[in-house]
């Protein structure tokens, strides 16, 4: 009986990896939390507080690597060759962008309707109920008690 055991170190020699950094293209400051994915695979990671990232144990081959973050244009590095036992270095310089939303139009109209037909919960409070619990009414009542 033959038992084959493959260690993590041996696996990294057979495979390769990607290391890199993500910075803001305008300021040069590192970007934290950028999603880095290897397209058409399940491999991916996110950048750390210094903008650094690492994807290890990547099978040899040619890949497209994508960096994306809300508020920045997505960037793809194409045809990145991964060799056994090596880590390919990539620098992403993401360009800030404005996130645009479609115009929102709010309209209202006044129409009579029965309180039971209102689409939200509605409660009617009388003047007596307001006066019974209002701050000024309570304050006046409290003052008269201490006289």
């Amino acid at each position: 009986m033959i038992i084959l055991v493959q260690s993590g170190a041996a696996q990294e020699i057979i495979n390769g990896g990607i290391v890199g950094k993500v910075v803001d293209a305008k300021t040069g400051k590192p970007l934290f939390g950028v999603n880095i994915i290897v397209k058409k695979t399940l491999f991916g990671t996110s950048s750390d507080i210094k903008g650094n990232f690492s994807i290890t144990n990547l099978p040899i081959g040619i890949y497209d690597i994508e960096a994306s973050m809300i508020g920045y244009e997505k960037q793809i590095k194409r045809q990145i060759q991964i060799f056994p036992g090596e880590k390919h270095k990539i620098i992403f310089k993401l360009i800030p962008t404005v996130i645009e939303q479609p115009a929102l139009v709010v309209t209202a109209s006044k129409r009579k309707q029965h309180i039971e037909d209102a689409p939200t919960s509605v409660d009617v409070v009388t003047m007596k109920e307001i006066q019974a619990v209002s701050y000024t009414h309570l304050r006046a009542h409290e003052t008269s008690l201490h006289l």
Side-chain angles (χ1 to χ4, degrees):
M1 174 188 264
I2 299 174
I3 299 175
L4 296 175
V5 177
Q6 187 172 10
S7 72
Q11 186 70 23
E12 286 205 24
I13 293 172
I14 294 170
N15 294 327
I18 298 169
V19 294
K21 187 167 186 127
V22 187
V23 297
D24 183 295
K26 287 188 176 183
T27 66
K29 292 184 179 181
L31 294 175
F32 170 65
V34 176
N35 295 310
I36 313 295
I37 62 166
V38 181
K39 301 287 280 181
K40 298 182 182 177
T41 74
L42 298 177
F43 288 92
T45 189
S46 61
S47 60
D48 66 17
I49 198 158
K50 294 180 180 177
N52 298 316
F53 66 90
S54 176
I55 299 174
T56 59
N57 212 15
L58 192 59
I60 59 172
I62 298 173
Y63 300 99
D64 292 342
I65 314 300
E66 178 183 286
S68 64
M69 181 177 190
I70 293 176
Y72 289 86
E73 290 181 11
K74 183 186 324 183
Q75 191 176 76
I76 300 175
K77 302 283 186 177
R78 299 194 183 279
Q79 301 294 303
I80 303 299
Q81 179 77 47
I82 303 300
F83 295 102
E86 293 183 11
K87 291 190 177 181
H88 191 92
K89 183 155 176 125
I90 299 176
I91 305 293
F92 285 102
K93 295 180 180 180
L94 298 186
I95 299 167
T97 187
V98 176
I99 299 173
E100 293 184 27
Q101 295 289 334
L104 176 64
V105 178
V106 178
T107 59
S109 62
K110 185 177 178 181
R111 65 183 173 110
K112 289 185 177 185
Q113 73 182 86
H114 292 284
I115 196 165
E116 300 86 28
D117 297 334
T120 59
S121 63
V122 176
D123 197 7
V124 177
V125 181
T126 67
M127 181 63 85
K128 284 185 179 183
E129 291 172 315
I130 293 172
Q131 287 175 343
V133 295
S134 74
Y135 177 75
T136 52
H137 181 70
L138 290 175
R139 237 9 217 164
H141 183 68
E142 181 181 290
T143 305
S144 66
L145 291 175
H146 293 318
L147 292 176

